[in-house]
Structures are given as C-alpha cells and as structure tokens.
Amino acid sequence: MQIGPHVLPNRLFVAPMAGVTDRPFRRLCRQLGAGYAVSEMVSSRRDLWTSLKTSRRANHDGEAAPIAVQIAGTDPEMMAEAAAYNIDRGAQIIDINMGCPAKKVCNTWAGSALMRDEPLALAIVEAVVAACAPRGVPVTLKMRTGWCDTERNALRLARGAESAGVAMVTVHGRTREQGYKGAAEYDTIAAVKAALRIPVVANGDIDSPEKARDVLAATGADAVMIGRAAQGRPWIFREIAHFLATGEHLPAPDVTQAKAWLVAHLHDHYALYGEFAGVRSARKHIGWAVRALPGGEAFRARMNLIDACDDQVRALADWFDALAVTHQRLPATSAAANDDLLEHSA
Ligand SMILES: Cc1cc2nc3c(=O)[nH]c(=O)nc-3n(C[C@H](O)[C@H](O)[C@H](O)COP(=O)(O)O)c2cc1C
C-alpha cells in the first residue's frame, strides 16, 4: 500500500475524527497496528490558524511519518493556501475533506456538502494539487457515496479527482443525507475501485476482523479505514491485522495490558492539552474504553466528577486492577454492544 512516495506498513487506516483522532490517539492506534492515520480536519480559514485548537492540530512533534493533514473549506484559493501552510508545518500528505459535515469550522457547508457542487469540488482538488505537487506532497480525497440516495456521484467525482492528480480516494459508504444512519453500502465503493488506477480505501461500519475481511473482498479496496469502532478499542487494528494475516483471532488483550496502554495514552493526552483541558477531554476516551465492560457505565459516571490528572489516572488504574481480579482478558464485546457503540458514537 502506497500513497505517492510513501510506503505504508499495512492497509489498516484510522479514520479522521474531529475531537477524537488527535496526535496522542493517532499515536496509540499506530502503536497498536494501524498503518496510517489522518489528522483531524483543519479549517482553510486563515483567522482560525492561530487558535489554540488549530495550532494543537498543526503540531506534529514526535509523530511517525507520513504525516497526513486533512483540510476543509469551500474556496479553492484558501484551500491551496491551507495546504501550503500545513506543508510548512510538517504535513507530508494533504487530505481534502468531502466526507464529513464541516459547517462548524468553515462557517458554511464544506466537507461532504461539496459533493453537491462537482465543479467547485474539482476546482478545489485542482487548486490543492497545484499547491502540493511542486513540493512533492501527494493529495488525497475523502468522500461519501454521494449527496443523497438519488445523487450517488462518488464515481464521477472520484474519476475527476484522479484526472486532477489525486493520489488516493477514500469512500465512506453512506450519502451525505444519511449522516450516520442506516448501514454503509459497499457497491459504490466497489464501482469506484474498479474504475480507478489510484488506491481506493473503503470506510464505514467496519467493527470486526471479519467485517474488514468481507469489506476488502466485496470492494476490492486497497485498504480499510476504521473510525468509531476504534474509539475506546484502539487494539482493533492489531486484531484485524492478525486475522487478515493468519485467519485466526488474536485473544482479547490482557486487562493489565489494556490498562497500561490506556494509562500511557492518558499521559500523552495530558502532555498535549495540559491539566484543565486534558482531564476533561480524556473523559470521553475513558468512557469509550469502559462502557462495554462489566460495571463500566457506573465507573464512567463516577470518573466524570474527577478533575485532576493524577486522580483520573489512579481511578482508571484501580478500576482495571479490580477488573483483573475477575477477568484475565478483556471480556469480548458482543455484536449488539458493537452496534450500539457505532450508533451512539457519531
Ligand atoms: C466524532 C466523529 C468525527 C469525525 N470527524 C471527521 C473529520 O474531521 N473528517 C472526516 O473526513 N470525517 C470525519 N468523520 C467521519 C469518519 O472519518 C468516518 O468516515 C465515519 O465515521 C465512518 O466510518 P466508521 O463507520 O468506521 O466510523 C468523523 C466521524 C465521527 C464519528
């Protein structure tokens, strides 16, 4: 699997998720088997670049190559400038967001809404490629299957993007109108893969090793991208990697091993956000990690009242130590709990 000149260790990608896939979480996923991670989106609005949020997102200290930054916006010139700005700050791959509603950061309907205006979408792609190509930086595009059920234009847009010089396309198997409702469909992704020469990545509802195998087979895609199922379960990447390589399931992680990964993640998280913001934004990661475990909901409610880093780490470690008394390994997540998880984490 290759994006431009960048050879990736495998074909398991972490999906960009604003508010989730920050640098510490991306690092954790890569440590646990993800071959590639895209940053949370950065707005093309210049006035936001100096905000604390964007400067945190544009800081890639210690991040493994290739560093991929997703940009969102509706103006070709501004998008080209945003690409150049992020390349100057270390981006080695620029991803254009046409896969996710991005109104909040752009003050207008950017992201997946662009799929409704193909000429503008392609003008953005061309402008960004023109800014990146002279610097040797590949441009990738993330999109949905279309705007709505009657306008599934992913194939046309993907073809246009390939002609404009895009190096890889990711397709989430839902329309913009669907949001996160209904099941992802993979036929459109298969059609995009069949028509393009560049790598195509399949995304949507992949939450188990079997599902990853089936989606790869059904679409012929070069890679799969996993979003919500990795929330609180970043070891899903090693589980899928092992299954794809051997056809066998890796045992669930030891409770003490999972504790060590999560504690290390918390320290990394606090280092980026500081105590006040860090302890608060870490709550969601802890909540995702424990919610499907026995007694997890009650712990989550209690943990949400803690507002010091040391206390939060200690509470998490103690809770996992108590779980380790009754369980050597993490209890398996049931299919029903998995569905519930995907339903509620969008
Ligand atoms: C909380 C959250 C934030 C997201 N933020 C982004 C984003 O910034 N850029 C983007 O292209 N997609 C974003 N997405 C969409 C995901 O990248 C992915 O396409 C979608 O969740 C479907 O994959 P999944 O079923 O594996 O979760 C986000 C999804 C979630 C749940």
Side-chain angles (χ1 to χ4, degrees), residues 29-79:
C29 291
R30 289 175 86 158
Q31 180 198 336
L32 295 178
Y36 182 64
V38 186
S39 72
E40 311 160 273
M41 70 184 145
V42 172
S43 170
S44 59
R45 275 178 52 193
R46 206 174 245 285
D47 57 313
L48 295 179
W49 292 346
T50 50
S51 73
L52 182 57
K53 194 175 188 175
T54 302
S55 30
R56 273 198 195 115
R57 287 184 182 185
N59 175 338
H60 304 285
D61 290 351
E63 189 157 9
I67 292 165
V69 173
Q70 187 184 67
I71 56 173
T74 52
D75 179 84
E77 220 34 62
M78 285 166 70
M79 286 287 274

mmCIF file of all heavy atoms in Angstrom, residues 29-79:
data_model
loop_
_atom_site.group_PDB
_atom_site.id
_atom_site.type_symbol
_atom_site.label_atom_id
_atom_site.label_comp_id
_atom_site.label_asym_id
_atom_site.label_seq_id
_atom_site.Cartn_x
_atom_site.Cartn_y
_atom_site.Cartn_z
ATOM 1 N N CYS A 29 -3.115 4.359 18.188
ATOM 2 C CA CYS A 29 -3.635 3.444 17.152
ATOM 3 C C CYS A 29 -2.497 2.875 16.314
ATOM 4 O O CYS A 29 -2.492 1.689 15.972
ATOM 5 C CB CYS A 29 -4.636 4.167 16.254
ATOM 6 S SG CYS A 29 -6.172 4.582 17.094
ATOM 7 N N ARG A 30 -1.521 3.712 16.002
ATOM 8 C CA ARG A 30 -0.415 3.219 15.171
ATOM 9 C C ARG A 30 0.436 2.234 15.949
ATOM 10 O O ARG A 30 0.888 1.228 15.407
ATOM 11 C CB ARG A 30 0.397 4.396 14.631
ATOM 12 C CG ARG A 30 -0.406 5.151 13.584
ATOM 13 C CD ARG A 30 0.278 6.388 13.106
ATOM 14 N NE ARG A 30 1.199 6.107 12.028
ATOM 15 C CZ ARG A 30 1.598 7.022 11.156
ATOM 16 N NH1 ARG A 30 1.152 8.259 11.228
ATOM 17 N NH2 ARG A 30 2.442 6.714 10.208
ATOM 18 N N GLN A 31 0.617 2.516 17.217
ATOM 19 C CA GLN A 31 1.366 1.576 18.060
ATOM 20 C C GLN A 31 0.639 0.225 18.118
ATOM 21 O O GLN A 31 1.268 -0.827 18.209
ATOM 22 C CB GLN A 31 1.462 2.195 19.459
ATOM 23 C CG GLN A 31 2.200 1.383 20.486
ATOM 24 C CD GLN A 31 1.858 1.858 21.907
ATOM 25 O OE1 GLN A 31 1.447 3.010 22.125
ATOM 26 N NE2 GLN A 31 2.001 0.986 22.869
ATOM 27 N N LEU A 32 -0.684 0.266 18.017
ATOM 28 C CA LEU A 32 -1.476 -0.961 18.139
ATOM 29 C C LEU A 32 -1.907 -1.517 16.781
ATOM 30 O O LEU A 32 -2.901 -2.237 16.701
ATOM 31 C CB LEU A 32 -2.687 -0.701 19.038
ATOM 32 C CG LEU A 32 -2.315 -0.382 20.496
ATOM 33 C CD1 LEU A 32 -3.534 -0.094 21.337
ATOM 34 C CD2 LEU A 32 -1.527 -1.536 21.102
ATOM 35 N N GLY A 33 -1.197 -1.163 15.728
ATOM 36 C CA GLY A 33 -1.394 -1.887 14.473
ATOM 37 C C GLY A 33 -1.958 -1.111 13.310
ATOM 38 O O GLY A 33 -2.045 -1.659 12.204
ATOM 39 N N ALA A 34 -2.354 0.150 13.501
ATOM 40 C CA ALA A 34 -2.829 0.913 12.346
ATOM 41 C C ALA A 34 -1.628 1.323 11.495
ATOM 42 O O ALA A 34 -0.609 1.755 12.029
ATOM 43 C CB ALA A 34 -3.598 2.152 12.795
ATOM 44 N N GLY A 35 -1.775 1.194 10.180
ATOM 45 C CA GLY A 35 -0.653 1.520 9.301
ATOM 46 C C GLY A 35 -0.628 2.979 8.890
ATOM 47 O O GLY A 35 0.367 3.457 8.344
ATOM 48 N N TYR A 36 -1.713 3.685 9.155
ATOM 49 C CA TYR A 36 -1.818 5.055 8.641
ATOM 50 C C TYR A 36 -2.885 5.791 9.431
ATOM 51 O O TYR A 36 -3.913 5.205 9.795
ATOM 52 C CB TYR A 36 -2.205 5.000 7.165
ATOM 53 C CG TYR A 36 -2.317 6.325 6.460
ATOM 54 C CD1 TYR A 36 -1.208 7.148 6.291
ATOM 55 C CD2 TYR A 36 -3.527 6.746 5.917
ATOM 56 C CE1 TYR A 36 -1.317 8.356 5.614
ATOM 57 C CE2 TYR A 36 -3.641 7.952 5.230
ATOM 58 C CZ TYR A 36 -2.535 8.749 5.085
ATOM 59 O OH TYR A 36 -2.637 9.946 4.417
ATOM 60 N N ALA A 37 -2.632 7.071 9.689
ATOM 61 C CA ALA A 37 -3.591 7.871 10.442
ATOM 62 C C ALA A 37 -3.635 9.279 9.867
ATOM 63 O O ALA A 37 -2.592 9.870 9.577
ATOM 64 C CB ALA A 37 -3.167 7.928 11.911
ATOM 65 N N VAL A 38 -4.828 9.778 9.682
ATOM 66 C CA VAL A 38 -5.009 11.144 9.165
ATOM 67 C C VAL A 38 -5.438 12.026 10.332
ATOM 68 O O VAL A 38 -6.247 11.613 11.167
ATOM 69 C CB VAL A 38 -6.119 11.183 8.082
ATOM 70 C CG1 VAL A 38 -6.199 12.557 7.440
ATOM 71 C CG2 VAL A 38 -5.894 10.108 7.045
ATOM 72 N N SER A 39 -4.917 13.239 10.350
ATOM 73 C CA SER A 39 -5.244 14.136 11.468
ATOM 74 C C SER A 39 -6.694 14.607 11.389
ATOM 75 O O SER A 39 -7.360 14.465 10.368
ATOM 76 C CB SER A 39 -4.331 15.349 11.427
ATOM 77 O OG SER A 39 -4.716 16.171 10.347
ATOM 78 N N GLU A 40 -7.149 15.195 12.487
ATOM 79 C CA GLU A 40 -8.468 15.836 12.480
ATOM 80 C C GLU A 40 -8.412 17.013 11.501
ATOM 81 O O GLU A 40 -7.363 17.614 11.306
ATOM 82 C CB GLU A 40 -8.787 16.427 13.848
ATOM 83 C CG GLU A 40 -8.579 15.504 15.012
ATOM 84 C CD GLU A 40 -8.432 16.301 16.291
ATOM 85 O OE1 GLU A 40 -7.307 16.709 16.609
ATOM 86 O OE2 GLU A 40 -9.443 16.521 16.956
ATOM 87 N N MET A 41 -9.567 17.367 10.964
ATOM 88 C CA MET A 41 -9.536 18.414 9.925
ATOM 89 C C MET A 41 -9.117 19.778 10.462
ATOM 90 O O MET A 41 -9.392 20.133 11.604
ATOM 91 C CB MET A 41 -10.897 18.526 9.254
ATOM 92 C CG MET A 41 -11.980 19.100 10.110
ATOM 93 S SD MET A 41 -13.534 19.054 9.224
ATOM 94 C CE MET A 41 -14.660 18.728 10.576
ATOM 95 N N VAL A 42 -8.447 20.511 9.573
ATOM 96 C CA VAL A 42 -8.028 21.881 9.875
ATOM 97 C C VAL A 42 -8.776 22.779 8.896
ATOM 98 O O VAL A 42 -8.840 22.496 7.704
ATOM 99 C CB VAL A 42 -6.496 22.029 9.650
ATOM 100 C CG1 VAL A 42 -6.075 23.480 9.775
ATOM 101 C CG2 VAL A 42 -5.733 21.164 10.646
ATOM 102 N N SER A 43 -9.356 23.853 9.410
ATOM 103 C CA SER A 43 -10.120 24.755 8.547
ATOM 104 C C SER A 43 -9.204 25.499 7.579
ATOM 105 O O SER A 43 -8.046 25.784 7.890
ATOM 106 C CB SER A 43 -10.857 25.777 9.407
ATOM 107 O OG SER A 43 -11.414 26.774 8.587
ATOM 108 N N SER A 44 -9.746 25.860 6.409
ATOM 109 C CA SER A 44 -8.969 26.674 5.474
ATOM 110 C C SER A 44 -9.058 28.153 5.852
ATOM 111 O O SER A 44 -8.453 28.993 5.195
ATOM 112 C CB SER A 44 -9.491 26.468 4.053
ATOM 113 O OG SER A 44 -10.850 26.838 3.994
ATOM 114 N N ARG A 45 -9.812 28.457 6.896
ATOM 115 C CA ARG A 45 -9.926 29.871 7.306
ATOM 116 C C ARG A 45 -8.681 30.318 8.052
ATOM 117 O O ARG A 45 -8.392 29.873 9.151
ATOM 118 C CB ARG A 45 -11.167 30.053 8.191
ATOM 119 C CG ARG A 45 -12.426 30.266 7.394
ATOM 120 C CD ARG A 45 -13.614 30.381 8.304
ATOM 121 N NE ARG A 45 -13.435 31.376 9.351
ATOM 122 C CZ ARG A 45 -14.241 31.477 10.405
ATOM 123 N NH1 ARG A 45 -15.232 30.647 10.561
ATOM 124 N NH2 ARG A 45 -14.032 32.403 11.323
ATOM 125 N N ARG A 46 -7.992 31.264 7.429
ATOM 126 C CA ARG A 46 -6.731 31.791 7.953
ATOM 127 C C ARG A 46 -6.877 32.315 9.394
ATOM 128 O O ARG A 46 -5.986 32.133 10.227
ATOM 129 C CB ARG A 46 -6.328 32.947 7.041
ATOM 130 C CG ARG A 46 -4.907 33.258 6.971
ATOM 131 C CD ARG A 46 -4.731 34.332 5.914
ATOM 132 N NE ARG A 46 -3.959 33.835 4.783
ATOM 133 C CZ ARG A 46 -2.662 33.656 4.811
ATOM 134 N NH1 ARG A 46 -1.982 33.929 5.900
ATOM 135 N NH2 ARG A 46 -2.021 33.212 3.756
ATOM 136 N N ASP A 47 -8.010 32.970 9.675
ATOM 137 C CA ASP A 47 -8.192 33.578 11.007
ATOM 138 C C ASP A 47 -8.237 32.523 12.115
ATOM 139 O O ASP A 47 -8.103 32.860 13.283
ATOM 140 C CB ASP A 47 -9.458 34.455 11.042
ATOM 141 C CG ASP A 47 -10.714 33.682 10.670
ATOM 142 O OD1 ASP A 47 -10.690 32.949 9.663
ATOM 143 O OD2 ASP A 47 -11.714 33.793 11.394
ATOM 144 N N LEU A 48 -8.465 31.253 11.746
ATOM 145 C CA LEU A 48 -8.527 30.211 12.777
ATOM 146 C C LEU A 48 -7.172 29.537 13.011
ATOM 147 O O LEU A 48 -7.012 28.781 13.963
ATOM 148 C CB LEU A 48 -9.558 29.143 12.390
ATOM 149 C CG LEU A 48 -11.018 29.603 12.315
ATOM 150 C CD1 LEU A 48 -11.929 28.450 11.904
ATOM 151 C CD2 LEU A 48 -11.474 30.163 13.666
ATOM 152 N N TRP A 49 -6.199 29.814 12.116
ATOM 153 C CA TRP A 49 -4.949 29.056 12.196
ATOM 154 C C TRP A 49 -4.176 29.311 13.490
ATOM 155 O O TRP A 49 -3.411 28.482 13.936
ATOM 156 C CB TRP A 49 -4.039 29.358 10.998
ATOM 157 C CG TRP A 49 -4.599 28.831 9.717
ATOM 158 C CD1 TRP A 49 -5.619 27.945 9.579
ATOM 159 C CD2 TRP A 49 -4.180 29.159 8.391
ATOM 160 N NE1 TRP A 49 -5.877 27.708 8.251
ATOM 161 C CE2 TRP A 49 -4.997 28.436 7.500
ATOM 162 C CE3 TRP A 49 -3.190 29.994 7.856
ATOM 163 C CZ2 TRP A 49 -4.868 28.512 6.119
ATOM 164 C CZ3 TRP A 49 -3.049 30.071 6.475
ATOM 165 C CH2 TRP A 49 -3.878 29.338 5.617
ATOM 166 N N THR A 50 -4.367 30.511 14.051
ATOM 167 C CA THR A 50 -3.612 30.801 15.276
ATOM 168 C C THR A 50 -4.387 30.400 16.533
ATOM 169 O O THR A 50 -3.902 30.570 17.642
ATOM 170 C CB THR A 50 -3.270 32.310 15.362
ATOM 171 O OG1 THR A 50 -4.472 33.025 15.121
ATOM 172 C CG2 THR A 50 -2.205 32.706 14.364
ATOM 173 N N SER A 51 -5.609 29.889 16.361
ATOM 174 C CA SER A 51 -6.368 29.474 17.543
ATOM 175 C C SER A 51 -5.643 28.316 18.216
ATOM 176 O O SER A 51 -4.891 27.574 17.578
ATOM 177 C CB SER A 51 -7.783 29.045 17.156
ATOM 178 O OG SER A 51 -7.735 27.793 16.503
ATOM 179 N N LEU A 52 -5.914 28.154 19.503
ATOM 180 C CA LEU A 52 -5.249 27.087 20.265
ATOM 181 C C LEU A 52 -5.580 25.730 19.645
ATOM 182 O O LEU A 52 -4.711 24.867 19.474
ATOM 183 C CB LEU A 52 -5.715 27.152 21.722
ATOM 184 C CG LEU A 52 -5.097 26.146 22.683
ATOM 185 C CD1 LEU A 52 -3.582 26.267 22.701
ATOM 186 C CD2 LEU A 52 -5.666 26.347 24.091
ATOM 187 N N LYS A 53 -6.857 25.563 19.258
ATOM 188 C CA LYS A 53 -7.301 24.286 18.713
ATOM 189 C C LYS A 53 -6.533 23.934 17.439
ATOM 190 O O LYS A 53 -5.998 22.838 17.289
ATOM 191 C CB LYS A 53 -8.791 24.402 18.418
ATOM 192 C CG LYS A 53 -9.479 23.097 18.162
ATOM 193 C CD LYS A 53 -10.962 23.411 18.021
ATOM 194 C CE LYS A 53 -11.798 22.181 17.941
ATOM 195 N NZ LYS A 53 -13.233 22.481 17.924
ATOM 196 N N THR A 54 -6.464 24.910 16.501
ATOM 197 C CA THR A 54 -5.793 24.611 15.228
ATOM 198 C C THR A 54 -4.294 24.455 15.437
ATOM 199 O O THR A 54 -3.669 23.587 14.821
ATOM 200 C CB THR A 54 -6.091 25.717 14.185
ATOM 201 O OG1 THR A 54 -7.506 25.792 14.036
ATOM 202 C CG2 THR A 54 -5.474 25.383 12.841
ATOM 203 N N SER A 55 -3.710 25.282 16.314
ATOM 204 C CA SER A 55 -2.262 25.119 16.479
ATOM 205 C C SER A 55 -1.924 23.777 17.114
ATOM 206 O O SER A 55 -0.896 23.179 16.779
ATOM 207 C CB SER A 55 -1.605 26.282 17.218
ATOM 208 O OG SER A 55 -2.465 26.859 18.115
ATOM 209 N N ARG A 56 -2.812 23.281 17.984
ATOM 210 C CA ARG A 56 -2.584 21.922 18.515
ATOM 211 C C ARG A 56 -2.665 20.900 17.373
ATOM 212 O O ARG A 56 -1.865 19.980 17.281
ATOM 213 C CB ARG A 56 -3.646 21.575 19.551
ATOM 214 C CG ARG A 56 -3.289 22.020 20.951
ATOM 215 C CD ARG A 56 -4.133 21.265 21.969
ATOM 216 N NE ARG A 56 -4.074 21.910 23.266
ATOM 217 C CZ ARG A 56 -5.109 22.481 23.878
ATOM 218 N NH1 ARG A 56 -6.302 22.484 23.331
ATOM 219 N NH2 ARG A 56 -4.954 23.039 25.055
ATOM 220 N N ARG A 57 -3.670 21.103 16.506
ATOM 221 C CA ARG A 57 -3.840 20.134 15.411
ATOM 222 C C ARG A 57 -2.683 20.196 14.415
ATOM 223 O O ARG A 57 -2.404 19.215 13.733
ATOM 224 C CB ARG A 57 -5.160 20.403 14.679
ATOM 225 C CG ARG A 57 -6.355 19.991 15.500
ATOM 226 C CD ARG A 57 -7.663 20.159 14.752
ATOM 227 N NE ARG A 57 -8.781 19.791 15.626
ATOM 228 C CZ ARG A 57 -10.053 19.729 15.258
ATOM 229 N NH1 ARG A 57 -10.384 20.019 14.020
ATOM 230 N NH2 ARG A 57 -10.993 19.385 16.103
ATOM 231 N N ALA A 58 -2.064 21.368 14.282
ATOM 232 C CA ALA A 58 -0.978 21.519 13.306
ATOM 233 C C ALA A 58 0.384 21.165 13.899
ATOM 234 O O ALA A 58 1.402 21.275 13.230
ATOM 235 C CB ALA A 58 -0.963 22.956 12.773
ATOM 236 N N ASN A 59 0.390 20.728 15.148
ATOM 237 C CA ASN A 59 1.657 20.374 15.801
ATOM 238 C C ASN A 59 1.860 18.856 15.690
ATOM 239 O O ASN A 59 1.074 18.078 16.238
ATOM 240 C CB ASN A 59 1.578 20.824 17.271
ATOM 241 C CG ASN A 59 2.790 20.401 18.064
ATOM 242 O OD1 ASN A 59 3.505 19.463 17.691
ATOM 243 N ND2 ASN A 59 3.031 21.077 19.159
ATOM 244 N N HIS A 60 2.907 18.464 14.984
ATOM 245 C CA HIS A 60 3.115 17.027 14.728
ATOM 246 C C HIS A 60 4.372 16.497 15.406
ATOM 247 O O HIS A 60 4.920 15.477 14.976
ATOM 248 C CB HIS A 60 3.167 16.780 13.211
ATOM 249 C CG HIS A 60 1.951 17.286 12.522
ATOM 250 N ND1 HIS A 60 0.741 16.633 12.591
ATOM 251 C CD2 HIS A 60 1.722 18.406 11.810
ATOM 252 C CE1 HIS A 60 -0.166 17.317 11.934
ATOM 253 N NE2 HIS A 60 0.396 18.403 11.454
ATOM 254 N N ASP A 61 4.809 17.187 16.467
ATOM 255 C CA ASP A 61 6.032 16.771 17.164
ATOM 256 C C ASP A 61 5.987 15.290 17.519
ATOM 257 O O ASP A 61 5.039 14.821 18.165
ATOM 258 C CB ASP A 61 6.198 17.570 18.464
ATOM 259 C CG ASP A 61 6.535 19.013 18.179
ATOM 260 O OD1 ASP A 61 6.796 19.336 16.996
ATOM 261 O OD2 ASP A 61 6.509 19.824 19.127
ATOM 262 N N GLY A 62 6.994 14.572 17.120
ATOM 263 C CA GLY A 62 7.111 13.175 17.520
ATOM 264 C C GLY A 62 6.200 12.227 16.764
ATOM 265 O O GLY A 62 6.156 11.032 17.055
ATOM 266 N N GLU A 63 5.457 12.727 15.795
ATOM 267 C CA GLU A 63 4.529 11.855 15.059
ATOM 268 C C GLU A 63 5.271 11.076 13.972
ATOM 269 O O GLU A 63 6.157 11.602 13.305
ATOM 270 C CB GLU A 63 3.415 12.704 14.438
ATOM 271 C CG GLU A 63 2.325 11.848 13.848
ATOM 272 C CD GLU A 63 0.987 12.576 13.728
ATOM 273 O OE1 GLU A 63 0.932 13.798 13.936
ATOM 274 O OE2 GLU A 63 0.002 11.877 13.411
ATOM 275 N N ALA A 64 4.871 9.807 13.807
ATOM 276 C CA ALA A 64 5.537 8.970 12.801
ATOM 277 C C ALA A 64 5.122 9.400 11.393
ATOM 278 O O ALA A 64 3.989 9.810 11.171
ATOM 279 C CB ALA A 64 5.153 7.507 13.023
ATOM 280 N N ALA A 65 6.043 9.276 10.463
ATOM 281 C CA ALA A 65 5.762 9.590 9.051
ATOM 282 C C ALA A 65 4.913 8.464 8.445
ATOM 283 O O ALA A 65 4.976 7.329 8.917
ATOM 284 C CB ALA A 65 7.078 9.728 8.301
ATOM 285 N N PRO A 66 4.148 8.733 7.422
ATOM 286 C CA PRO A 66 3.909 10.048 6.836
ATOM 287 C C PRO A 66 2.854 10.823 7.623
ATOM 288 O O PRO A 66 1.872 10.247 8.074
ATOM 289 C CB PRO A 66 3.387 9.707 5.432
ATOM 290 C CG PRO A 66 2.720 8.378 5.569
ATOM 291 C CD PRO A 66 3.462 7.654 6.649
ATOM 292 N N ILE A 67 3.109 12.116 7.770
ATOM 293 C CA ILE A 67 2.171 12.977 8.490
ATOM 294 C C ILE A 67 1.117 13.473 7.502
ATOM 295 O O ILE A 67 1.445 14.136 6.515
ATOM 296 C CB ILE A 67 2.933 14.149 9.134
ATOM 297 C CG1 ILE A 67 3.828 13.579 10.250
ATOM 298 C CG2 ILE A 67 1.968 15.196 9.680
ATOM 299 C CD1 ILE A 67 4.885 14.524 10.723
ATOM 300 N N ALA A 68 -0.128 13.084 7.771
ATOM 301 C CA ALA A 68 -1.216 13.424 6.848
ATOM 302 C C ALA A 68 -2.163 14.396 7.530
ATOM 303 O O ALA A 68 -2.642 14.132 8.631
ATOM 304 C CB ALA A 68 -1.970 12.160 6.459
ATOM 305 N N VAL A 69 -2.425 15.509 6.883
ATOM 306 C CA VAL A 69 -3.295 16.533 7.461
ATOM 307 C C VAL A 69 -4.524 16.707 6.577
ATOM 308 O O VAL A 69 -4.406 16.855 5.363
ATOM 309 C CB VAL A 69 -2.534 17.876 7.594
ATOM 310 C CG1 VAL A 69 -3.477 18.995 8.029
ATOM 311 C CG2 VAL A 69 -1.397 17.738 8.603
ATOM 312 N N GLN A 70 -5.675 16.698 7.212
ATOM 313 C CA GLN A 70 -6.904 16.906 6.449
ATOM 314 C C GLN A 70 -7.312 18.373 6.509
ATOM 315 O O GLN A 70 -7.310 18.976 7.576
ATOM 316 C CB GLN A 70 -8.034 16.050 7.010
ATOM 317 C CG GLN A 70 -9.263 16.137 6.120
ATOM 318 C CD GLN A 70 -10.447 15.380 6.664
ATOM 319 O OE1 GLN A 70 -10.993 15.748 7.702
ATOM 320 N NE2 GLN A 70 -10.846 14.334 5.988
ATOM 321 N N ILE A 71 -7.678 18.922 5.354
ATOM 322 C CA ILE A 71 -8.133 20.314 5.324
ATOM 323 C C ILE A 71 -9.580 20.365 4.843
ATOM 324 O O ILE A 71 -10.031 19.501 4.089
ATOM 325 C CB ILE A 71 -7.216 21.209 4.443
ATOM 326 C CG1 ILE A 71 -7.103 20.666 3.014
ATOM 327 C CG2 ILE A 71 -5.838 21.341 5.074
ATOM 328 C CD1 ILE A 71 -6.345 21.611 2.064
ATOM 329 N N ALA A 72 -10.298 21.394 5.311
ATOM 330 C CA ALA A 72 -11.710 21.543 4.952
ATOM 331 C C ALA A 72 -11.994 22.990 4.601
ATOM 332 O O ALA A 72 -11.475 23.903 5.246
ATOM 333 C CB ALA A 72 -12.586 21.118 6.123
ATOM 334 N N GLY A 73 -12.798 23.194 3.568
ATOM 335 C CA GLY A 73 -13.165 24.549 3.171
ATOM 336 C C GLY A 73 -13.905 24.531 1.854
ATOM 337 O O GLY A 73 -14.113 23.460 1.268
ATOM 338 N N THR A 74 -14.282 25.713 1.384
ATOM 339 C CA THR A 74 -15.091 25.773 0.158
ATOM 340 C C THR A 74 -14.476 26.662 -0.919
ATOM 341 O O THR A 74 -15.026 26.774 -2.009
ATOM 342 C CB THR A 74 -16.489 26.351 0.468
ATOM 343 O OG1 THR A 74 -16.305 27.579 1.177
ATOM 344 C CG2 THR A 74 -17.311 25.398 1.297
ATOM 345 N N ASP A 75 -13.354 27.295 -0.604
ATOM 346 C CA ASP A 75 -12.762 28.215 -1.566
ATOM 347 C C ASP A 75 -11.441 27.638 -2.070
ATOM 348 O O ASP A 75 -10.532 27.355 -1.270
ATOM 349 C CB ASP A 75 -12.524 29.570 -0.880
ATOM 350 C CG ASP A 75 -11.892 30.556 -1.831
ATOM 351 O OD1 ASP A 75 -12.645 31.184 -2.595
ATOM 352 O OD2 ASP A 75 -10.647 30.660 -1.832
ATOM 353 N N PRO A 76 -11.318 27.434 -3.402
ATOM 354 C CA PRO A 76 -10.110 26.776 -3.924
ATOM 355 C C PRO A 76 -8.813 27.464 -3.503
ATOM 356 O O PRO A 76 -7.850 26.809 -3.094
ATOM 357 C CB PRO A 76 -10.312 26.841 -5.444
ATOM 358 C CG PRO A 76 -11.790 26.925 -5.625
ATOM 359 C CD PRO A 76 -12.312 27.690 -4.455
ATOM 360 N N GLU A 77 -8.810 28.814 -3.582
ATOM 361 C CA GLU A 77 -7.590 29.552 -3.258
ATOM 362 C C GLU A 77 -7.215 29.376 -1.782
ATOM 363 O O GLU A 77 -6.051 29.130 -1.425
ATOM 364 C CB GLU A 77 -7.823 31.042 -3.581
ATOM 365 C CG GLU A 77 -6.659 31.746 -4.215
ATOM 366 C CD GLU A 77 -5.840 30.852 -5.142
ATOM 367 O OE1 GLU A 77 -6.344 30.347 -6.165
ATOM 368 O OE2 GLU A 77 -4.665 30.642 -4.801
ATOM 369 N N MET A 78 -8.223 29.486 -0.924
ATOM 370 C CA MET A 78 -7.978 29.323 0.516
ATOM 371 C C MET A 78 -7.542 27.897 0.841
ATOM 372 O O MET A 78 -6.688 27.680 1.716
ATOM 373 C CB MET A 78 -9.250 29.661 1.319
ATOM 374 C CG MET A 78 -9.528 31.154 1.406
ATOM 375 S SD MET A 78 -11.203 31.477 1.996
ATOM 376 C CE MET A 78 -11.078 30.978 3.698
ATOM 377 N N MET A 79 -8.115 26.941 0.130
ATOM 378 C CA MET A 79 -7.731 25.548 0.376
ATOM 379 C C MET A 79 -6.275 25.327 -0.049
ATOM 380 O O MET A 79 -5.512 24.615 0.616
ATOM 381 C CB MET A 79 -8.669 24.601 -0.365
ATOM 382 C CG MET A 79 -10.045 24.509 0.274
ATOM 383 S SD MET A 79 -10.016 23.577 1.827
ATOM 384 C CE MET A 79 -10.191 21.905 1.216
#
